[in-house]
Amino acid sequence: MKLVWSPEIAAKALVDTVKSCQVIEGSSVAELISAMAAGWNAKLIVETWCRGDMTTTSIGLAVARIHTSGRHVCIVPNEDSKSEYTAAMEKAGMSPEVIIGQSEEAVKGLVIDFLVVDARKNNFDRIVKAAKFGLRGAVLVCKAAPAADVRLLSLFDGASRRVVRSVFLPVGKGLDIAHVAAGEGGSGSDKVKKSRWIRRVDRRSGEEFVFRK
């Protein structure tokens, strides 16, 4: 199965997120991510959050969930983070599901369609590698990603799950976005190990296309 893009739902989510975040710093990132999650019709949207982080992205994801009739789950490290997050989201009129625990362990119990992590967190790579994706694959978003230092693509080289498309966008503090296809067998299969990656970059848009040969 393939992810099918719906521009109508994406546009509606973007407009609703603009209304919710129009006076909040960093709302441009929230609007973009919300439109992406809604446009891909993500049924399980998962993000990680720590105490002191902004909630604009969370508001955008909550808006997207409404448009896809899916679930929005936020993973937080402790009770203090949960209290702060819940209070901020309730103030915005949102009430996503909250899971307390280590993110790289919590994602193992979820089949994710859309995952948002933060490159500033030391364990973001372990979270991505531990995540389970559905038959449609998934869209991954890494926030605050330095263009030259952090690439989601590198986390899947030689793995059973492959990146079919990726792009870095200079929005906010940087967004690294990847579409990961559904797995094609167990990790470390001979077919994958012998594969060769070919990368092509569109010089105008900066979008990166990845092919496996």
Side-chain angles (χ1 to χ4, degrees):
M1 297 178 64
K2 294 182 179 180
L3 291 170
V4 179
W5 176 257
S6 172
E8 294 82 7
I9 298 178
K12 291 177 181 178
L14 188 150
V15 170
D16 287 347
T17 303
V18 169
K19 292 177 180 178
S20 299
C21 300
Q22 57 185 341
V23 295
I24 303 177
E25 181 184 356
S27 61
S28 60
V29 172
E31 292 152 12
L32 175 60
I33 293 177
S34 176
M36 290 178 56
W40 288 118
N41 195 30
K43 296 304 182 182
L44 179 53
I45 301 168
V46 177
E47 65 168 327
T48 60
W49 193 89
C50 292
R51 191 175 185 184
D53 289 349
M54 296 182 66
T55 55
T56 48
T57 297
S58 299
I59 294 171
L61 294 176
V63 169
R65 180 207 67 78
I66 294 172
H67 288 281
T68 66
S69 299
R71 294 171 60 197
H72 170 208
V73 176
C74 181
I75 303 172
V76 299
N78 50 50
E79 286 288 350
D80 287 341
S81 293
K82 179 181 179 180
S83 297
E84 182 177 320
Y85 179 82
T86 301
M89 292 301 286
E90 287 179 348
K91 185 176 180 179
M94 308 293 181
S95 56
E97 300 176 44
V98 179
I99 295 176
I100 299 175
Q102 293 296 320
S103 299
E104 58 265 39
E105 293 299 322
V107 293
K108 293 179 181 179
L110 304 168
V111 181
I112 302 169
D113 294 315
F114 198 93
L115 175 64
V116 180
V117 296
D118 194 320
R120 294 169 295 188
K121 304 299 187 293
N122 294 330
N123 64 339
F124 90 94
D125 55 339
R126 297 196 297 273
I127 297 170
V128 172
K129 290 179 179 179
K132 295 181 179 180
F133 307 135
L135 296 177
R136 300 189 307 160
V139 173
L140 311 183
V141 178
C142 187
K143 300 188 299 179
D149 299 330
V150 179
R151 294 310 308 269
L152 286 171
L153 178 64
S154 65
L155 301 181
F156 293 92
D157 282 349
S160 59
R161 298 175 296 184
R162 60 189 179 89
V163 174
V164 293
R165 196 173 188 181
S166 70
V167 62
F168 175 82
L169 299 178
V171 180
K173 295 181 179 180
L175 289 178
D176 193 9
I177 304 167
H179 173 202
V180 181
E184 297 182 353
S187 176
S189 66
D190 291 338
K191 178 180 178 181
V192 174
K193 287 182 178 179
K194 294 179 181 179
S195 297
R196 183 166 62 92
W197 291 99
I198 300 175
R199 306 178 186 181
R200 296 290 183 269
V201 178
D202 187 317
R203 295 184 179 276
R204 289 187 177 181
S205 66
E207 190 169 11
E208 184 174 0
F209 297 88
V210 186
F211 307 90
R212 192 178 65 184
K213 186 175 181 181

